[in-house]
Amino acid sequence: MTGREPSAGDVRAGLVEPLLARLPAEFTAAERGRIRRAYEFAARRHVGQVRKSGDPYITHPVAVAEIAIDAGLDCATVCAALLHDVIEDTGCDAAQLRAEFGEEITTLVQSMTELDRRHDQAAIDAADDRSLALKVIDRLHNMRTIQHLDQEKQRLKSQQTLDVMAPLAGRLGLRDVADELESIARARLTHLPGDTGATYQVLAFGALLLPVAVRASYLDEWLGELDVLRDRRARTRFALRLAISMPALALTLRRPTRHTLTGCLLTFLRWILRTDLRTWTPLTVLLGWMIVETARNSLGDAVVILITVPPVLHAGVTRLRAKLGLGQPDKPI
């Protein structure tokens, strides 16, 4: 007897029953029916969409819902897990969702969408605990399948997970989620090759100046920008410009505490930039390190960095000096 490969429709149809079987006994028949409707709505909306792994997209919200069930979250949160990408990725508007599932679930999905779209601490502060819980369990499934991303994204996502997502999961009481997030992120960072190119190294180095609370959200935004730039040289230049502007960005983000840490940082920056010797000694060391690390993987890329990076560094130093009102560097006596 000959068989056939399962179609995407077969895959979608085979997901709902195992999901419902996973629900604890205390879920009522009405709640189970609501979760089934949420699944069917999401499956229709995501039809034809696939993940980077090649799997039908609906497998992702189902996996997020399974994690939500295992974490002991309530019916509304499980429904929102199934629906969490329909507004952002399928063109479904909030009014349609509200008509189908009511205000509570719609608000959760909207909050998740807002957390994905905005890259600032204010969005995190404004979100309630259930929305944040959805965010971290969404990240958990994405970390479980992170091998389908390129190595730079794997590094940045893993570092962001260690810095923000795992601690956030712990604060929410999702200890198992926090432990798995941390375990996957550390393993990924440990096993990725060390010489993946200058882009990640520059961003990771520069982002250390930013406050921890916003570092991950900025890295996430920069990942989106990098994804548009397919040429390696353009990606490297973009990362270098970001690194050059990082001190000024850090000053802006830390402005509420300018009389303490920011004041010291500003004074230190002025002292460094006041002479060419103090400015270019660490930058030359950094440039040499980047060239050596990149040359291990590609001599051609190392030559590109040697040609393109010094002018970018010079332009950045000049702009930063102008921003700080330093003018020309002091001449040695």
Side-chain angles (χ1 to χ4, degrees):
M1 183 175 65
T2 60
R4 65 179 180 86
E5 290 294 320
S7 67
D10 294 331
V11 172
R12 291 195 301 274
L15 293 175
V16 63
E17 295 304 331
L19 177 68
L20 294 173
R22 206 180 191 106
L23 292 170
E26 58 265 26
F27 274 63
T28 67
E31 289 175 327
R32 291 170 182 271
R34 200 178 193 191
I35 291 169
R36 181 187 289 275
R37 284 199 303 113
Y39 167 82
E40 292 171 349
F41 186 92
R44 288 195 304 272
R45 284 288 174 174
H46 289 297
V47 67
Q49 297 179 345
V50 295
R51 305 194 79 215
K52 288 185 181 296
S53 63
D55 294 329
Y57 194 87
I58 188 60
T59 59
H60 169 62
V62 167
V64 175
E66 289 174 346
I67 299 171
I69 292 169
D70 292 345
L73 302 182
D74 62 16
C75 175
T77 309
V78 174
C79 289
L82 289 164
L83 299 163
H84 75 270
D85 279 331
V86 297
I87 290 179
E88 185 170 15
D89 293 343
T90 73
C92 174
D93 60 38
Q96 291 174 286
L97 206 58
R98 191 174 292 108
E100 289 281 342
F101 297 101
E103 187 63 38
E104 182 183 19
I105 292 173
T106 302
T107 299
L108 285 170
V109 174
Q110 286 181 303
S111 182
M112 266 286 285
T113 304
E114 189 71 7
L115 285 168
D116 287 337
R117 288 176 178 172
R118 288 179 57 185
H119 300 282
D120 54 47
Q121 188 64 29
I124 295 177
D125 293 339
D128 64 18
D129 283 354
R130 288 194 298 173
S131 300
L132 294 174
L134 281 172
K135 183 69 176 174
V136 297
I137 63 177
D138 176 50
R139 173 55 60 90
L140 177 54
H141 183 247
N142 284 329
M143 290 300 293
R144 288 175 177 175
T145 57
I146 197 173
Q147 70 272 16
H148 299 291
L149 300 180
D150 64 52
Q151 289 185 355
E152 287 178 3
K153 284 193 174 184
Q154 289 185 48
R155 281 185 177 276
L156 289 170
K157 290 286 187 183
S158 296
Q159 192 61 57
Q160 180 194 48
T161 297
L162 283 178
D163 290 344
V164 177
M165 292 300 177
L168 178 58
R171 178 172 71 78
L172 294 169
L174 302 173
R175 190 67 261 168
D176 290 344
V177 173
D179 289 345
E180 187 175 354
L181 282 171
E182 184 173 347
S183 176
I184 295 173
R186 289 195 186 281
R188 183 57 49 177
L189 289 171
T190 298
H191 291 101
L192 280 172
D195 51 354
T196 57
T199 308
Y200 167 76
Q201 295 167 353
V202 171
L203 283 182
F205 178 82
L208 292 176
L209 294 175
L210 302 183
V212 173
V214 298
R215 187 182 303 160
S217 58
Y218 274 93
L219 285 173
D220 215 20
E221 182 176 1
W222 296 332
L223 277 174
E225 297 291 336
L226 283 171
D227 198 39
V228 178
L229 303 173
R230 301 300 180 185
D231 178 73
R232 177 173 291 185
R233 182 180 299 181
R235 289 162 66 92
T236 301
R237 286 179 174 175
F238 175 78
L240 287 171
R241 291 192 184 99
L242 282 178
I244 292 298
S245 65
M246 216 74 76
L249 177 60
L251 288 174
T252 301
L253 294 174
R254 297 179 185 273
R255 188 162 293 160
T257 59
R258 60 183 177 276
H259 297 301
T260 54
L261 179 60
T262 301
C264 294
L265 180 59
L266 182 58
T267 301
F268 182 63
L269 279 175
R270 287 178 180 275
W271 178 79
I272 288 179
L273 293 170
R274 205 169 290 278
T275 71
D276 278 335
L277 179 62
R278 289 196 293 258
T279 300
W280 289 103
T281 297
L283 290 179
T284 302
V285 172
L286 173 62
L287 178 61
W289 169 73
M290 289 170 51
I291 292 172
V292 170
E293 288 295 310
T294 306
R296 292 179 183 177
N297 190 48
S298 170
L299 186 59
D301 287 347
V303 172
V304 170
I305 290 176
L306 180 61
I307 294 172
T308 61
V309 171
V312 175
L313 289 176
H314 182 269
V317 168
T318 301
R319 186 169 60 183
L320 190 54
R321 279 175 170 157
K323 187 175 183 67
L324 296 176
L326 293 178
Q328 293 299 315
D330 295 341
K331 302 294 183 182
I333 298 176

